[in-house]
Amino acid sequence: MKLKDKVVIITGASSGIGKALAIELALRGANLVLAARQYVTLCQITQDLQNQYNVKAIAVQCDVAIEEDCAALIKQTILTFGRVDVLVNNAGISMRALFKDLDLKVMKNLMDVNFWGTVYCTKYALPEIIKTKGSIIGISSIAGYKGLPGRSGYSASKFAMNGFMDALRIENLKTGVHVMVASPGFTASNIRNTALDKNGVQQGESTLEEEKMMTAEQVAVIIADGIQNRARTLIMTPQGKFTVFLSKFLPAFLDKQVFKVFAKEKNALLK
């Protein structure tokens, strides 16, 4: 798929991977519908993209946890552009707390955004994407292949997204719709700074070494290439690929290695 003049919806586009992907796709000539809760920030981003890259872009305030917002997002896209070629389900939140200490409202919040947000947007966009034989993208995580300690709700939401996208792909084998799951490794972005603690309060500071991670810009290039090549699955780091391999063939060994890694993070939850 050539991206020039295609209409691409990106949720969670006000920062991190979503914002970086918007810039990368604009560079490739795509017209953009950027969705997030931060409307003022979105408006500035869309203005910058139109000025720099000579593409069309609109901002739509949208909380993907609210079904009506997702329906309105797709409706606004059709009213403005008359079509949808690509939906990128990128909006997401994280968490950091042991399950035994967790207020269950935190897990519900993560499922509402990370899983149900993907389901809602996809439900309303799918009929239009079938018409264009376009793409549905889910931005997942290695946490969707291996449960991570202190991130039970995040892993659960990404496992659920992966299963949903896998079923959707099979249902659309004959429709021409492309379904891709993209799983970055740890990426330097604000998702850990805004991760929820056991009470649902943003932790405010990353506990991991951000400077050693992939940048959002690097991730955006890989995702854009994957959309163009209609790839099935993107696992973006050697560590991620090794983790998926070990989870299939040496799961007990992997459990111990994951424990060791997270026992070394700053203010470790595991002892």
Side-chain angles (χ1 to χ4, degrees):
M1 176 189 288
K2 296 296 183 183
L3 289 169
K4 183 172 174 55
D5 296 326
K6 299 297 184 183
V7 177
V8 183
I9 301 171
I10 305 173
T11 65
S14 60
S15 63
I17 292 172
K19 179 180 176 181
L21 185 58
I23 294 169
E24 181 62 31
L25 295 181
L27 185 64
R28 301 184 189 208
N31 297 315
L32 299 167
V33 179
L34 305 186
R37 291 175 296 176
Q38 306 299 326
Y39 184 64
V40 174
T41 301
L42 280 182
C43 289
Q44 185 60 61
I45 294 170
T46 56
Q47 188 64 53
D48 291 344
L49 292 176
Q50 291 183 106
N51 292 341
Q52 287 184 255
Y53 300 105
N54 195 32
V55 297
K56 297 175 183 177
I58 63 169
V60 179
Q61 188 170 31
C62 175
D63 182 344
V64 298
I66 301 172
E67 182 178 353
E68 292 79 9
D69 277 17
C70 298
L73 170 63
I74 307 307
K75 183 177 181 180
Q76 185 60 57
T77 302
I78 298 303
L79 287 172
T80 304
F81 293 106
R83 58 187 288 134
V84 182
D85 294 292
V86 181
L87 168 66
V88 181
N89 291 295
N90 169 72
I93 55 174
S94 189
M95 61 160 286
R96 183 176 181 268
L98 296 179
F99 180 71
K100 69 181 180 65
D101 303 322
L102 187 67
D103 187 320
L104 287 178
K105 70 181 182 183
V106 177
M107 183 169 281
K108 183 179 185 304
N109 194 358
L110 265 80
M111 291 300 295
D112 284 345
V113 175
N114 297 355
F115 173 66
W116 283 108
T118 295
V119 170
Y120 294 149
C121 289
T122 301
K123 178 65 175 178
Y124 291 102
L126 183 58
E128 302 301 323
I129 291 176
I130 289 174
K131 293 176 186 176
T132 60
K133 299 187 186 305
S135 298
I136 298 171
I137 314 301
I139 306 302
S140 185
S141 167
I142 297 306
Y145 294 90
K146 179 63 185 175
L148 300 183
R151 283 84 177 165
S152 56
Y154 185 70
S155 284
S157 67
K158 294 302 185 180
F159 266 83
M161 173 196 272
N162 288 1
F164 168 68
M165 296 292 282
D166 203 36
L168 190 70
R169 180 186 297 110
I170 297 170
E171 290 181 8
N172 285 279
L173 280 177
K174 304 295 185 180
T175 66
V177 171
H178 163 231
V179 176
M180 182 178 82
V181 174
S183 298
F186 286 116
T187 304
S189 73
N190 68 341
I191 191 169
R192 275 166 302 285
N193 301 83
T194 59
L196 305 180
D197 67 11
K198 63 183 180 181
N199 298 312
V201 178
Q202 293 184 359
Q203 67 175 5
E205 180 185 3
S206 175
T207 59
L208 301 175
E209 298 180 51
E210 300 280 322
E211 66 276 3
K212 295 183 179 180
M213 299 177 184
M214 296 178 73
T215 66
E217 290 74 20
Q218 289 171 322
V219 172
V221 170
I222 296 171
I223 294 171
D225 287 345
I227 296 171
Q228 287 190 170
N229 297 329
R230 294 175 79 87
R232 173 191 175 96
T233 305
L234 298 176
I235 298 175
M236 299 185 192
T237 63
Q239 182 186 39
K241 292 175 182 177
F242 192 49
T243 298
V244 173
F245 174 83
L246 289 178
S247 69
K248 293 179 179 178
F249 298 104
L250 292 169
F253 172 76
L254 179 60
D255 287 349
K256 295 175 183 177
Q257 298 308 304
V258 170
F259 187 100
K260 288 179 182 179
V261 168
F262 282 89
K264 293 178 181 178
E265 71 176 326
K266 185 171 24 174
N267 301 320
L269 299 171
L270 300 176
K271 308 297 182 183

